[in-house]
Each structure stands twice: as C-alpha cells, then as structure tokens.
Amino acid sequence: MDGIGQGPKVVFSVFGLDITETVVIGWAIIVAVLLVCLFLTRSLKRIPEKKSQVVAEIFVEFVNNTVETTMGKQWKHFAPYIGTLLVYAVIGALVSLLGLRSMTADFNVTLTWALMTFVLITFYKIKTNGVGGYLKSFGQPIPIMLPLNLLSEVATPLSMAFRMFGNVAGGAVITGLLYGGLSFVSQALHISFCVGPFTLDMAQLFTPAVLSVYFDLFSGCIQAYIFSMLTMVYVSSAAETE
Amino acid sequence: MEKAIVLGCSAIGAGLAMIAGIGPGIGEGYAVGKTIESIARQPEAKGDCTRTMFIGVAMAESTGIYAFVVALILLFANPFIGKL
C-alpha cells in the first residue's frame, strides 16, 4: 500500500520550506512549455510555410473560438488566460503517463487555480455593480438568504478545486491499487522475476494500459477543459448586469 | 483492539460513502441520453449541446467526487486514529 493515497514527496527543502514533487514538476512543465512556444513561434510568416506555425495557429484559433462562443466577442482579451490554464492543466495531468506524479493530484495546485478564478469572479462582480451593489447582491432576493448566498459564494471555488483534485487523484489511487493487485497475482503465479534491484511482474506489463487511457488521458483532458469552461462561464456571468 | 475496531469501521464507512456514486451515475446517464436525443432532433446544434452537457455532467459528478474525497480521508488520513 506504500505510495497509494500519500501526498507528494518532499524533494528538498530551502530554509525550512519543503519543495515537493509538485513544485519541481510544475517548474519543469513551465520551462518545457516555454521552449515549445519559442520553437513554434520562430520566424512567423503571414502565410504559414512551416508545419510548426500551422500547429501553433490551430491551437490559438481553438482557444480564441472557445472563448468567443462561450463568453462573447467582448471577452476576447480573456483568451490568453484560458489558454494558459488549459495547457498547464492538460500537461500537468498528462505527466502521469511518464510515470511522474500528476500535478493536479495535489490539492494545493487545484485550490490555487480555483482561488484565482474566485478572485476574478469577485473582481468582475465589483467592477460591474460597484462595491455597494456587490455587497447588496448577497441580500437578494430577500435578506434572509444572506447565509445561503455566502455559502454558495464559498462553495464555488471549493467545488471546482475538489472536482479536479478528486478526479485525478482518484485515477491515481485506482491505478495504484491495480498495480498492487497485479503484482500480487504475478507473484502467486510465479511469473515475477527479479532483475537486480527491480522486480519485473509479468502481469503488470499490458493490463493497466486500458485503465491508463481512461484515467490519465481522458479524465485529465476533460477535467482541464471543464475547469477552464467553468472559469469562463462563472466570470462572464459575474460581469452581467441585472 | 480499539485501533482495529476504528480501522475496520473506517473501512466500512469509506465503502458506505461510495454508495453516493449511484447518484451521479444515473444523473449523468440521463443527461447524456437527453443530449443525444436533442442532437438527433437538431444536428446543427451539436456543438452547443455537447458543451452544455459537459458542464452539466461535470456539475453532477461533483457529488460523487465529494463522496470519494470523504472515502479517501477515511482510508488514508483517518482523523479518528489520533483521538484514541
């Protein structure tokens, strides 16, 4: 059962501050994405000649279209934020395919992103209605609703964070349990070999691939998409005047 | 002995918490079925229907995920062991 359901490991600590796996992987992703961006946007032409520019244009077009159809034309300046969120979340979930720990399987990461969305929602609410209008909106439609409105305001970021964390962490736990079970099976069938310090369990070789496609690929991408989708929906509905 | 009882009851509690998985299962199936019905009736609205369905399904799934988080806490970060 070791490793299943445990938090991220501490890699090293600086001045008593623990730097976990998540932080290291997050920075590695930032560097990798930066390098890919530099490579894709090298010597751009008005009419694309290279494949790399076409790939970059397809992605930018996709994000622009999604933001425009979900939030409306006047929100086009919001596309870079959504694109960043999407890329970071998708790659953060997909690193588990490389055998690393998923970045979004850490509650700190998803809670940070959800709090960013919460700040944006509050900012646009105050910008459209003013501070007085924002405070007054908690007493709508009748003042007795105040506690319920406060609760639903707090529940928005919490549910977003828990949804993303639960989905990815759940996949990691189920995959971990499956690996444990398969290692037990192959030891019982005597098809487990020791190669130096590593143990090679034959039953573990191909079976988990199907589950990995669902839990890592599908779940990670869908949750990243839904997270950015919900951010767009919440922010654009926060800026609506009543 | 007390620890064994607490651990066993926590495992049962985790299993009971996951009964909540029934709700999102039925709800999501219903939502997807309705979406397919509407796409069959109006194929040109496929994009809108699919997008709305994904958001709704994600919303419905959150109750199941809350139950899952409760089960995880009971199994791996048990708060009752420290109270003994």
Side-chain angles (χ1 to χ4, degrees), chain A residues 42-241:
Chain A
R42 234 175 5 152
S43 65
L44 293 180
K45 299 269 162 54
R46 185 164 284 274
I47 296 158
E49 290 168 355
K50 287 181 300 179
K51 279 215 179 78
S52 59
Q53 189 179 344
V54 178
V55 172
E57 279 184 4
I58 288 173
F59 178 72
V60 171
E61 202 105 303
F62 167 71
V63 173
N64 276 343
N65 281 341
T66 315
V67 170
E68 237 170 75
T69 47
T70 317
M71 300 175 83
K73 267 249 182 321
Q74 72 277 22
W75 286 94
K76 232 184 151 195
H77 61 278
F78 218 71
Y81 176 68
I82 299 297
T84 313
L85 207 58
L86 202 62
V87 168
Y88 205 31
V90 165
I91 299 179
L94 290 191
V95 284
S96 62
L97 290 178
L98 302 175
L100 299 167
R101 192 190 159 81
S102 273
M103 213 174 63
T104 38
D106 189 339
F107 187 55
N108 299 311
V109 175
T110 53
L111 187 63
T112 313
W113 292 350
L115 284 180
M116 272 154 60
T117 303
F118 179 68
V119 169
L120 280 174
I121 293 171
T122 314
F123 173 75
Y124 279 109
K125 268 186 185 166
I126 292 176
K127 198 181 167 193
T128 23
N129 302 324
V131 179
Y134 172 66
L135 292 178
K136 215 188 273 173
S137 75
F138 286 111
Q140 298 290 342
I142 41 171
I144 303 174
M145 295 287 277
L146 176 73
L148 286 178
N149 281 334
L150 279 176
L151 209 64
S152 75
E153 195 74 10
V154 176
T156 307
L158 270 185
S159 77
M160 281 176 86
F162 268 124
R163 180 177 307 124
M164 195 149 176
F165 161 75
N167 230 310
V168 180
V173 166
I174 293 171
T175 321
L177 286 176
L178 183 79
Y179 272 109
L182 285 177
S183 122
F184 177 75
V185 165
S186 48
Q187 264 161 22
L189 294 175
H190 300 291
I191 48 172
S192 162
F193 308 106
C194 279
V195 187
F198 304 105
T199 321
L200 182 65
D201 296 320
M202 296 309 278
Q204 273 185 357
L205 277 186
F206 301 107
T207 330
V210 185
L211 276 181
S212 198
V213 164
Y214 178 75
F215 284 116
D216 293 331
L217 271 176
F218 181 72
S219 203
C221 292
I222 282 287
Q223 285 306 314
Y225 180 71
I226 281 169
F227 192 89
S228 36
M229 207 68 169
L230 284 178
T231 304
M232 286 189 272
V233 170
Y234 282 137
V235 169
S236 62
S237 71
E240 269 168 16
T241 44

Side-chain angles (χ1 to χ4, degrees), chain A residues 1 4-5 69-70 159 162-163 165-167 170 173 222-223 225-226 229-230 233-234, chain B residues 48 50-52 54-55 57-62 65-66 68-69 72-73 75-77:
Chain A
M1 292 285 273
I4 304 170
T69 47
T70 317
S159 77
F162 268 124
R163 180 177 307 124
F165 161 75
N167 230 310
V173 166
I222 282 287
Q223 285 306 314
Y225 180 71
I226 281 169
M229 207 68 169
L230 284 178
V233 170
Y234 282 137
Chain B
D48 279 344
T50 317
R51 206 172 316 114
T52 319
F54 270 129
I55 295 175
V57 163
M59 288 285 192
E61 192 159 310
S62 42
I65 287 170
Y66 295 156
F68 178 73
V69 170
L72 275 190
I73 289 172
L75 284 181
F76 298 113

